[in-house]
Structures are given as structure tokens and as C-alpha cells.
Amino acid sequence: MTNELDGQYQVSSTSSYQGPLEMKADGVTHIRHGKTERRDAANCLWTSTFTILSENEVEMISVADPTDADSDFSLLRPDGSPSRQPVTYRTVLKLARKGDKIQMTGQIEYGGNVTFITLRRIDV
């Protein structure tokens, strides 16, 4: 069973975070059957599911697990303090399609920060 979102995507983000932790979540991921798993530049494991809600909306649920990440890497707790525990992020992304091109954009609010995220399909 394939999913219409299946493909390779460039993940890019910008954040309102102004603290000392370096954000390293950007990279390339491959969605298969509405799911993806990848390691970012800090070796943090990201496991995500994508569910199409409508013609122009996709729910994304991502779990970031820093267990095996670089020793100086942390995620943020809801209060904004550093954590080495897994964190779950949920958001609804806007879905734009033109032919085989797909782009999902949105924002994640967590730990007092706002992160704008874009996933752009690159394998077409």
C-alpha cells in the first residue's frame, strides 16, 4: 500500500529559539506509507507519521529521541529547559500540490518557541 505523500523530502526549519542549544533538525527524509524515520545532524532519531486530513492539510506527529544523539545535544521541555528525553511534536501542515510536486509547511509551538517547518518533495 503506497501513500500519495510517499517520496524523498528536504526538511528545513527556522525557529524563534534564542538559547545556547544548536538546532540540527534539518536534512533529508523519505516518507513511506505515511511514515518516516531519520537521524539528524546531531544523530537524534526522528520518527514521524503524516496523515492527510483534507485536500490542503496534513497532520504530522513527530517523536524526537535524543538517546543516541551527540553528548552536547538536548531537546527542549515544555518549560524551555534542556532534556535528553524523547519529545513528541504535533502540528497540522498546509499541503500544496502542483503535478508531482508536493510541499508541506507549518509551525510547531513547543517549549515557548515557534518553529516554522517546510518539507519539499525532491525526488520528482
Side-chain angles (χ1 to χ4, degrees):
M1 175 175 122
T2 61
N3 180 300
E4 62 187 286
L5 297 177
D6 284 3
Q8 190 169 346
Y9 289 79
Q10 177 67 48
V11 180
S12 55
S13 61
T14 57
S15 176
S16 66
Y17 177 72
Q18 297 294 313
L21 301 176
E22 183 179 352
M23 301 294 162
K24 298 181 178 182
D26 294 358
V28 174
T29 196
H30 196 111
I31 298 175
R32 288 184 188 103
H33 309 295
K35 298 179 181 180
T36 186
E37 182 176 289
R38 72 179 178 95
R39 292 196 177 269
D40 67 16
N43 204 36
C44 180
L45 178 63
W46 291 81
T47 306
S48 304
T49 59
F50 299 85
T51 305
I52 296 174
L53 302 175
S54 69
E55 275 296 308
N56 56 9
E57 287 186 323
V58 173
E59 178 185 46
M60 181 183 77
I61 301 172
S62 291
V63 176
D65 184 350
T67 302
D68 297 323
D70 298 347
S71 61
D72 63 346
F73 179 82
S74 294
L75 296 169
L76 296 176
R77 293 185 178 103
D79 67 3
S81 64
S83 173
R84 292 283 294 185
Q85 298 297 312
V87 174
T88 300
Y89 303 98
R90 297 173 186 267
T91 192
V92 173
L93 303 172
K94 291 182 182 176
L95 174 62
R97 294 180 251 207
K98 185 171 184 177
D100 287 341
K101 295 180 182 178
I102 296 176
Q103 180 172 291
M104 295 177 275
T105 57
Q107 66 184 42
I108 300 168
E109 296 180 33
Y110 191 89
N113 297 297
V114 177
T115 300
F116 295 96
I117 185 169
T118 300
L119 290 96
R120 182 172 295 116
R121 189 166 167 188
I122 57 175
D123 64 349
V124 290

